[in-house]
Amino acid sequence: MFRKVCARGVAFVALATVTVVAAGPSSATVGATGARSAIAGVVQSHVVVPGDTVTSVSARFGVEPSVIIADNRLASSGALRVGQTLQLDSRHIIPRAGAPDTVVIN
């Protein structure tokens, strides 16, 4: 059972069976399906152009700003230089469909 109390003190209760799906290294190839979970997305590079910010690159490629900053060892401000090459990892685990009446948290 999950209970959350919001700012007004009202409690919300949700009952669900939760299936957590995780994949280890080399558990599946990009776009693969089968007995294991699939991985979608790619690791790619992007050359910073004038006007690019961590937030705009994040929105364009679907990668969280904190991940871009950490993966590219940027300063905490996330300042980018024109011509700088960023590595962007947009891979996501696609979990197998759960049994009826389950919630899959990815």
Side-chain angles (χ1 to χ4, degrees), residues 6-95:
C6 71
R8 294 184 182 162
V10 179
F12 297 94
V13 178
L15 299 174
T17 302
V18 178
T19 305
V20 178
V21 180
S26 72
S27 65
T29 58
V30 175
T33 59
R36 296 182 180 195
S37 298
I39 307 281
V42 295
V43 176
Q44 58 190 323
S45 24
H46 170 72
V47 177
V48 175
V49 296
D52 273 352
T53 64
V54 171
T55 304
S56 67
V57 172
S58 167
R60 192 174 321 135
F61 293 97
V63 180
E64 288 291 322
S66 59
V67 173
I68 294 173
I69 290 169
D71 286 352
N72 291 282
R73 298 181 183 163
L74 299 175
S76 60
S77 65
L80 301 177
R81 296 181 324 274
V82 173
Q84 177 180 12
T85 301
L86 300 175
Q87 296 300 312
L88 305 170
D89 185 353
S90 64
R91 294 177 294 179
H92 301 282
I93 298 170
I94 303 172

